Amino acid sequence: MNRVLVPELAAAPRPPRGTTPFVLSGESMGTTWNVQAFAPSAYSIDALLRAIEWALASVVSEMSTWEAGSDISRFNALEPGAWATIPGGFRTVLACALEVADRTDGAFNPCIGALVDLWGFGARAPAHEIPPNDHIEAALRAADRSALAFGAERGRLRQPGGLRLDFSGIAKGFAVDEVARVLTRVGLNSYLVEIGGEVRGAGIKPDGLPWWVEIERPPGCPSMPIIVALHGISIATSGDYRRNAILDGKRIAHTIDPRTGRPLENDVASVTVLHPSCMHADALATAFLVTGAAIGKAFADAEGVAAIWITRTPEGFSETHSAAFTRMLGE
Ligand code: AMP
Ligand code: MG
């Protein structure tokens, strides 16, 4: 048995007529991407592949901290007081990241790059030991987002000194939105876009069925699967099982608690957020992992966001649903 989640629709989508299915995939942003769609039979899939690859390459060249020459890396290396001009995608992501940071009381913080590097999850060498307290405190001071001066309209950004941006908690979602935009622009309206587990879907298939996607669950979680009809909506999941490291013999999470500057330690195994924008879903999923289920649910309910937390308890896994999620499940 599955539980079924169907978003409310303003208008029923129409199935694409006279189309054939295709699949495109590749690697980008340190992970894999996959597009499934229906296109008119004589469609130039090669041209579409090039447009998708170009969109992804542009996200990497603006926002990858793994590329020394990217806009983000160049900003991170600036002298204190220097200004950078940042390109459009970077601007959109930074504005959304700061908005989610404000709305979640700083649980999401795009300025924690120095901490991510210090704990060995960035592009610098992996850590083998727990860093000394004074290093943690210095990296935490450098993560103060109020020190950032951002002129969103003109795309100007001031480096306060030592502040390192990290968009790994939001950029994959943005890239999904960008690929979806490429598909829409060329007239395709029935597709599923997935990058590293973040997914966005649109339309329905020629047979009238929606794009069903199962909500990711932590390994070993026995609860009944929830499948979502992904029309005009995105799903992003953050989980403690997705990436971690062993430091001084202890398993640590790759998500940083921006209040302590240390890897997150709480009972949340995974959080999934549904949102029309995959960029928002991605940032909110990371934020809600940090807040935990109780505070996260209060935030989500105040703003009508659909989210599910799977937490670890002594009795096994437990689920918390936001009000909007419960509504979509029809419970
Ligand atoms: P995600 O898998 O989307 O939850 O993103 C995790 C990545 O986001 C980590 O590998 C870090 O690079 C970055 N990150 C860690 N903690 C935070 C945080 N509290 N706010 C924003 N980004 C974070
Ligand atoms: Mg995220």
Side-chain angles (χ1 to χ4, degrees):
M1 270 291 283
N2 289 325
R3 290 174 286 173
V4 174
L5 200 144
V6 181
E8 285 166 19
L9 298 179
R14 272 188 308 199
R17 301 260 173 247
T19 56
T20 46
F22 70 88
V23 178
L24 291 172
S25 56
E27 285 178 22
S28 181
M29 311 177 77
T31 185
T32 55
W33 63 266
N34 188 281
V35 169
Q36 300 176 57
F38 287 88
S41 308
Y43 204 78
S44 166
I45 302 295
D46 280 353
L48 185 61
L49 175 62
R50 280 195 298 278
I52 292 171
E53 285 175 340
W54 193 87
L56 293 172
S58 149
V59 175
V60 169
S61 84
E62 292 186 18
M63 293 173 237
S64 171
T65 41
W66 272 265
E67 301 282 331
S70 67
D71 294 282
I72 198 169
S73 294
R74 285 190 287 134
F75 172 80
N76 288 349
L78 284 181
E79 294 296 320
W83 287 84
T85 302
I86 53 171
F90 190 132
R91 245 183 267 183
T92 304
V93 169
L94 179 60
C96 175
L98 293 174
E99 179 204 314
V100 172
D102 287 345
R103 281 161 54 199
T104 58
D105 243 347
F108 188 84
N109 182 359
C111 304
I112 49 148
L115 285 164
V116 171
D117 284 335
L118 183 67
W119 287 96
F121 291 110
R124 302 188 176 187
H128 298 291
E129 299 165 354
I130 293 177
N133 279 340
D134 54 337
H135 291 203
I136 299 173
E137 274 150 31
L140 192 54
R141 278 194 299 276
D144 175 11
R145 67 185 200 282
S146 70
L148 204 58
F150 177 37
E153 306 78 43
R154 289 154 59 218
R156 301 246 301 147
L157 189 63
R158 183 177 168 277
Q159 170 59 264
L163 187 149
R164 293 219 287 275
L165 291 171
D166 180 313
F167 290 165
S168 298
I170 181 170
K172 266 191 292 171
F174 173 74
V176 168
D177 290 336
E178 286 292 283
V179 172
R181 247 187 293 280
V182 169
L183 300 172
T184 311
R185 201 170 55 221
V186 300
L188 304 186
N189 51 24
S190 173
Y191 56 76
L192 200 65
V193 176
E194 183 262 335
I195 304 180
E198 322 298 30
V199 201
R200 176 167 173 152
I204 53 174
K205 302 179 193 178
D207 60 7
L209 290 176
W211 296 96
W212 289 113
V213 172
E214 185 178 330
I215 290 183
E216 195 178 302
R217 282 171 300 161
C221 176
S223 66
M224 197 189 291
I226 301 178
I227 55 167
V228 186
L230 222 57
H231 169 64
I233 200 153
S234 310
I235 300 191
T237 300
S238 282
D240 67 352
Y241 56 91
R242 275 195 162 190
R243 194 171 158 220
N244 40 49
I246 306 284
L247 289 194
D248 290 346
K250 188 173 174 218
R251 182 173 295 280
I252 62 155
H254 72 135
T255 306
I256 305 287
D257 186 336
R259 289 158 298 200
T260 62
R262 291 160 193 276
L264 189 66
E265 285 186 72
N266 65 18
D267 61 356
V268 185
S270 79
V271 184
T272 295
V273 175
L274 291 125
H275 196 283
S277 144
C278 200
M279 168 173 71
H280 280 86
D282 191 357
L284 286 167
T286 306
F288 289 162
L289 189 65
V290 174
T291 59
I295 294 175
K297 179 173 158 50
F299 280 121
D301 287 348
E303 306 204 6
V305 173
I308 171 174
W309 289 257
I310 302 180
T311 46
R312 300 179 197 277
T313 76
E315 292 77 43
F317 290 99
S318 161
E319 282 184 15
T320 304
H321 299 173
S322 73
F325 191 91
T326 305
R327 241 186 347 265
M328 280 184 179
L329 262 183
E331 283 175 349

